[in-house]
Amino acid sequence: MLKIGIIGAGSRGIGCFGKLVTGRDDAEVTALADPNSARMEAAARMLGRKMNFYTSVEEMLKNEHLDGVVITSPDYTHQENALLAIKYGVHVLVDKPLATTAAGCERIIRAARKKNLEVSVGFNLRHAPVLMKIKDLIDSGAIGNLMLIENREFYDGGRTYMSRWNRKYEWSGGLWVHKGSHDFDIFNWWNSSGTPVRVSAFAGVNALRPEGIPFDIDKDKPVGPICSQCAYKKACPDAVPEAARGSLFGAEAVEVDGYVRDKCLFLSDKDTHDNGVAIVEYDNNVRASHIECFICNFTDRRYTIIGDRGIITASLETPKSVTLSPRWGDEDHIIHVPPAPEGGHGGADPGLVARFIECLKTGNLSSSTGRDGIRSVAVGEAAEKSWREHRMVEISELADLNDPVLQSI
Ligand SMILES: NC(=O)c1ccc[n+]([C@@H]2O[C@H](COP(=O)([O-])OP(=O)(O)OC[C@H]3O[C@@H](n4cnc5c(N)ncnc54)[C@H](O)[C@@H]3O)[C@@H](O)[C@H]2O)c1
């Protein structure tokens, strides 16, 4: 049995990785590290297993003999936690983003390389059947030479990005890093012979601001500060639902660290966007554009991938098929996609965990590595700089992605 430690016992650490590892017969979660002991206790109850708890990551690494750790603490802590695990000689799976800056990713990769350790990154979308099918079609030449990729992402969970730590640039690296790194990774993966070179992005907050409050306010009754205490919690169509707060974030855990997940998304101190568009140029004459919209009543990613011999169109959420429209000829080809396995993110999460465990057992590289982590963060960081500084940003300002060490793991 492989022994796995989880750093950051929150929704992703326990609700995804904890459950998936616990459900396997070749690995077990033996330790948790999280500053919040009440949350770790709730986590162990949720997983129905005994495990050791540490409020210090370093203490866990010193005392446990772990085969690997999964890092699911907030984004701004990834670098420090990954470097600690590497210092103690443990392989890491860091949930996306690898770090909040390309420089942070570079430090992790260089440290792991020196110790010959694996760095896997939580790019679960690479395991989504519809996106794997598109990858096969591109690689098999079905649309000729790739020219242009477009993804329009709609997320009806945008409130979660505005009501907790994700809302702050200093904690998440901004949403082009925190959320966009998933999507930039898919662009990089599909366009595997290219390296991203420059990014232009525009973004802003149009709806989730005080002027956007969608109900009448009584001047004697202020709005907020958190949905569960707000006088308008019934009237507000965007109130964070009670259920979204979850059992790991109950009163006992809040008492320890004051971490609430339902800050008013109209009034909070957020400095990340609620919509935007980013355009990426690659060194192989390929371009990609990505729209992020957190103001909508549905969740989907809708893709158009254009080559000089045809166009692929697909949706992530209705993944029964992918449409291939050849450049010449009137007939579209409908290509069926196998049903997704059970599990989070359209069955992608179990695939990610399976590859990490396989990587620990065999030493074969994981499906997404440090190289992929830094490439996607570099694009996200460039997009953040671009919209904040109103300019096009060269990736070379942030990292030399062609440096052999940054491509080696
Ligand atoms: N791959 C995906 O699809 C996906 C989806 C959601 C979140 N994520 C990523 O997973 C990570 C966790 O997100 P979440 O939504 O589970 O957050 P969360 O807020 O639910 O949980 C974070 C946990 O980390 C703990 N923590 C805080 N500081 C810490 C530190 N210095 N060391 C260790 N633990 C610390 C908190 O107490 C909390 O229990 C983030 O990096 C996020 O970007 C990935």
Side-chain angles (χ1 to χ4, degrees):
M1 287 292 257
L2 294 176
K3 292 187 166 65
I4 306 294
I6 294 180
I7 298 177
S11 42
R12 187 89 181 135
I14 302 308
C16 171
F17 292 102
K19 282 189 180 161
L20 287 170
V21 172
T22 303
R24 295 179 65 96
D25 54 15
D26 54 358
E28 59 188 340
V29 179
T30 52
L32 302 178
D34 192 297
N36 191 318
S37 47
R39 190 164 307 127
M40 288 190 283
E41 277 165 27
R45 279 196 299 276
M46 201 171 172
L47 297 178
R49 294 281 195 285
K50 283 207 162 131
M51 50 195 73
N52 297 329
F53 302 147
Y54 297 88
T55 50
S56 149
V57 174
E58 186 148 19
E59 285 305 309
M60 177 180 85
L61 293 162
K62 254 188 217 163
N63 288 297
E64 302 282 329
H65 296 285
L66 297 169
D67 296 294
V69 291
V70 174
I71 300 180
T72 43
S73 48
D75 301 355
Y76 71 99
T77 66
H78 287 185
Q79 181 189 168
E80 185 186 345
N81 285 335
L83 289 175
L84 266 176
I86 290 165
K87 177 176 146 191
Y88 283 89
V90 182
H91 300 293
V92 293
L93 187 166
V94 186
D95 211 333
K96 63 83 211 163
L98 178 54
T100 51
T101 60
C105 296
E106 182 162 350
R107 282 182 209 110
I108 295 171
I109 295 171
R110 289 190 188 283
R113 176 64 201 267
K114 268 194 196 145
K115 293 235 178 172
N116 216 6
L117 291 168
E118 306 292 344
V119 175
S120 302
V121 183
F123 288 136
N124 39 9
L125 283 181
R126 287 192 180 210
H127 299 270
V130 71
L131 304 192
M132 291 162 78
K133 173 56 76 182
I134 293 171
K135 169 83 174 147
D136 286 349
L137 288 170
I138 295 170
D139 288 353
S140 69
I143 56 167
N145 295 308
L146 189 60
M147 300 184 334
L148 193 58
I149 309 174
E150 181 209 51
N151 173 19
R152 290 174 295 136
E153 182 184 12
F154 304 92
Y155 186 45
D156 180 26
R159 57 180 67 82
T160 70
Y161 288 123
M162 307 301 166
S163 58
R164 54 197 196 98
W165 58 262
N166 325 39
R167 74 189 185 279
K168 294 288 284 178
Y169 176 68
E170 67 173 302
W171 296 331
S172 61
L175 292 185
W176 288 123
V177 171
H178 171 75
K179 185 93 168 105
S181 59
H182 263 313
D183 299 283
F184 298 132
D185 176 61
I186 294 301
F187 290 168
N188 296 341
W189 182 51
W190 284 341
N191 183 26
S192 57
S193 60
T195 298
V197 283
R198 58 186 64 85
V199 179
S200 265
F202 303 90
V205 180
N206 288 56
L208 300 180
R209 52 187 183 159
E211 301 77 20
I213 291 178
F215 47 83
D216 293 331
I217 301 166
D218 177 341
K219 66 176 174 16
D220 299 325
K221 275 202 247 163
V223 173
I226 57 176
C227 301
S228 45
Q229 291 169 7
C230 180
Y232 303 92
K233 65 180 169 195
K234 293 222 166 74
C236 178
D238 276 322
V240 178
E242 196 86 39
R245 279 171 246 143
S247 59
L248 298 170
F249 303 91
E252 279 175 21
V254 173
E255 205 157 295
V256 175
D257 58 10
Y259 171 30
V260 292
R261 295 161 69 85
D262 61 345
K263 275 193 169 254
C264 175
L265 38 78
F266 297 102
L267 301 185
S268 91
D269 53 352
K270 65 182 170 296
D271 55 7
T272 52
H273 59 268
D274 65 17
N275 73 95
V277 53
I279 305 165
V280 189
E281 188 171 42
Y282 287 83
D283 66 354
N284 62 343
N285 203 18
V286 170
R287 290 146 289 279
S289 99
H290 175 39
I291 284 179
E292 273 185 349
C293 173
F294 299 115
I295 312 298
C296 45
N297 73 345
F298 66 102
T299 294
D300 202 359
R301 286 176 163 96
R302 296 178 179 178
Y303 297 96
T304 308
I305 301 107
I306 306 174
D308 62 6
R309 290 286 189 274
I311 297 180
I312 295 168
T313 46
S315 140
L316 185 67
E317 294 299 319
T318 48
K320 294 190 180 71
S321 64
V322 164
T323 303
L324 172 61
S325 311
R327 177 173 164 194
W328 296 287
D330 302 327
E331 274 199 23
D332 288 347
H333 302 294
I334 309 295
I335 297 152
H336 292 280
V337 174
E342 293 281 302
H345 291 93
D349 286 329
L352 172 69
V353 171
R355 273 299 289 266
F356 179 56
I357 299 292
E358 185 196 321
C359 157
L360 294 179
K361 283 181 178 168
T362 61
N364 293 337
L365 278 185
S366 184
S367 51
S368 36
T369 61
R371 173 187 184 274
D372 307 313
I374 190 171
R375 284 181 169 236
S376 68
V377 167
V379 175
E381 187 183 0
E384 285 296 331
K385 272 187 174 301
S386 175
W387 82 268
R388 288 169 193 277
E389 297 172 16
H390 306 290
R391 66 184 180 93
M392 187 162 74
V393 175
E394 299 290 322
I395 299 285
S396 57
E397 294 175 34
L398 309 173
D400 174 5
L401 296 181
N402 293 317
D403 180 328
V405 175
L406 301 186
Q407 304 195 64
S408 60
I409 57 172

